[in-house]
Amino acid sequence: MKQNRWKQWGITAVLIAGTAGVLWAQKQKAPVKDDRKGQTYLSDKATATGNISVDNFHKLISEPVWVKDSAGNFYPVQTFTYTYAERGIYEDETGKEFISTDYLSSHCKDKLDKGMASDMQYRAKAGDTAYIEQVMYMLPNKEGKQTAVQAQGIKLILTK
């Protein structure tokens, strides 16, 4: 009986020590701050998230998009996703009006393609919203090579 008791205590001690070892090994490291994430700007390098007039939107949206890093340097965008939310008033089968949003989306290189830019000249109106997201740009690293980095997206609300 005494041997079984020592076996049970031994197994229990090994399990406790093993659990403590696993928990110690899984202790999380402090997150590394990525200060390379930049802010996205339209072609004037001044317009970011916020309100924008329809006329100014027409001028800037067909030109290349830029990213400004934490050091204040501007880099051309390599790719981004453009989403346009167009608000409209519609009528259901009973004649009751309701407001709904239609979404248009496109994956772009450094700027909107000609077809989408041309379409924006006719579609864009006050109250609509444009999103530029999943913005990727190339940032030089210490070895002289370039690293692909994702920048913050922007939300543009069109005004009169």
Side-chain angles (χ1 to χ4, degrees):
M1 289 298 264
K2 283 188 175 185
Q3 254 184 341
N4 279 344
R5 182 183 250 176
W6 284 109
K7 252 187 187 176
Q8 288 175 345
W9 281 105
I11 292 172
T12 304
V14 168
L15 287 174
I16 291 172
T19 303
V22 168
L23 292 175
W24 178 77
Q26 291 181 352
K27 186 178 178 182
Q28 291 188 0
K29 298 177 185 176
V32 177
K33 184 180 177 190
D34 185 9
D35 62 347
R36 300 180 310 170
K37 191 168 189 171
Q39 175 61 51
T40 305
Y41 289 89
L42 293 182
S43 61
D44 65 351
K45 298 181 183 177
T47 305
T49 298
N51 295 338
I52 183 172
S53 70
V54 174
D55 292 336
N56 202 18
F57 179 77
H58 285 159
K59 286 185 253 178
L60 299 175
I61 199 63
S62 60
E63 299 298 321
V65 178
W66 293 85
V67 172
K68 182 179 176 182
D69 70 1
S70 57
N73 301 316
F74 281 95
Y75 298 95
V77 167
Q78 300 297 309
T79 63
F80 65 92
T81 301
Y82 175 76
T83 305
Y84 186 75
E86 181 178 21
R87 295 186 51 130
I89 298 176
Y90 299 93
E91 193 175 288
D92 66 8
E93 61 275 356
T94 64
K96 184 178 177 185
E97 293 181 345
F98 65 96
I99 297 173
S100 183
T101 305
D102 290 331
Y103 293 93
L104 231 101
S105 187
S106 176
H107 187 75
C108 308
K109 293 194 178 192
D110 64 335
K111 60 182 178 178
L112 287 182
D113 60 71
K114 289 181 182 179
M116 181 68 83
S118 173
D119 195 29
M120 288 298 104
Q121 299 297 321
Y122 300 105
R123 279 185 183 256
K125 63 187 177 306
D128 294 347
T129 306
Y131 301 89
I132 296 177
E133 301 171 310
Q134 300 173 350
V135 180
M136 297 298 294
Y137 70 106
M138 301 301 283
L139 185 67
N141 60 21
K142 294 176 183 173
E143 293 86 36
K145 298 179 181 175
Q146 292 191 333
T147 306
V149 179
Q150 186 170 354
Q152 295 175 351
I154 59 176
K155 175 182 176 181
L156 301 165
I157 301 168
L158 278 64
T159 60
K160 289 186 178 187

